[in-house]
Amino acid sequence: MKNQTLRDAVIRELIRMAMKAREQSYCPYSRFAVGAALLLGDGRIVTGCNIENAAYSPGNCAERTAIFKAVSEGNREFSAIAVVGGPAGKDPSSVCTPCGMCRQVLMEFCHPETFTIICAKDPETYQLYSLEEMLPAGFGPASLTVEMQVEDET
Ligand code: THU
């Protein structure tokens, strides 16, 4: 990632909180446990884990759990998210990247160039990406506004 503005200590704290949130993962079907920690614009951190379901489709990823928790509590400004995932009951063997649906949900609230996605294995092993890198040319609220303006002009 080009512009690293997040301090190392903040990155490591987000990863630690994502690891802690991962302990709450409810994943009896995939046995793949994920935790996420979302950094709000004011410095607070909201966490989430994946929550699966016997009907499969209603399951929710850790990232979206954190985002929906935060938005439902009145927060819409986000700076970064850390994600940690791997086989349940074990330490992850590699970094975990967000699924496409979570990238799209991030696109709704986060600036593609400044929002940082921390794909982590542990506090010392991680990769940083901007949302723009993870969802190039993504469709977000601004795209819809442009479309509506074009419609208004015709
Ligand atoms: N999962 C997440 O929670 N976040 C990711 O970034 C990747 C996948 C969850 C969804 C499902 O509960 C399990 O991991 C296996 O795909």
Side-chain angles (χ1 to χ4, degrees):
M1 211 185 80
K2 290 169 223 112
N3 302 319
Q4 193 194 328
T5 51
L6 280 177
R7 287 178 20 242
D8 284 352
V10 174
I11 292 172
R12 280 196 289 270
E13 175 65 4
L14 284 168
I15 296 170
R16 271 193 294 271
M17 290 194 68
M19 291 169 69
K20 188 83 187 147
R22 182 172 176 255
E23 292 171 12
Q24 302 304 324
S25 167
Y26 177 73
C27 58
Y29 307 107
S30 73
R31 303 297 300 152
F32 191 86
V34 186
L38 180 67
L39 180 64
L40 308 188
D42 62 9
R44 284 179 296 145
I45 296 171
V46 176
T47 61
C49 64
N50 57 331
I51 305 166
E52 297 185 349
N53 187 278
Y56 283 50
S57 301
N60 204 46
C61 288
E63 297 90 320
R64 276 177 291 140
T65 301
I67 297 160
F68 294 155
K69 273 173 67 182
V71 172
S72 71
E73 290 165 6
N75 307 291
R76 292 185 188 171
E77 283 187 24
F78 309 132
S79 311
I81 194 166
V83 189
V84 180
K90 294 184 186 167
D91 290 337
S93 58
S94 60
V95 302
C96 181
T97 55
C99 79
M101 203 181 283
C102 288
R103 296 179 199 198
Q104 182 63 37
V105 169
L106 287 167
M107 186 73 194
E108 188 66 27
F109 298 103
C110 310
H111 193 290
E113 280 161 16
T114 59
F115 185 81
T116 304
I117 299 169
I118 304 159
C119 302
K121 175 176 172 293
D122 57 54
E124 274 74 48
T125 317
Y126 58 84
Q127 293 164 4
L128 303 184
Y129 298 89
S130 67
L131 179 56
E132 174 65 31
E133 287 172 317
M134 286 243 149
L135 191 66
F139 188 90
S143 323
L144 202 54
T145 310
V146 169
E147 291 305 314
M148 289 194 299
Q149 275 166 3
V150 171
E151 200 170 277
D152 285 350
E153 285 161 16
T154 53

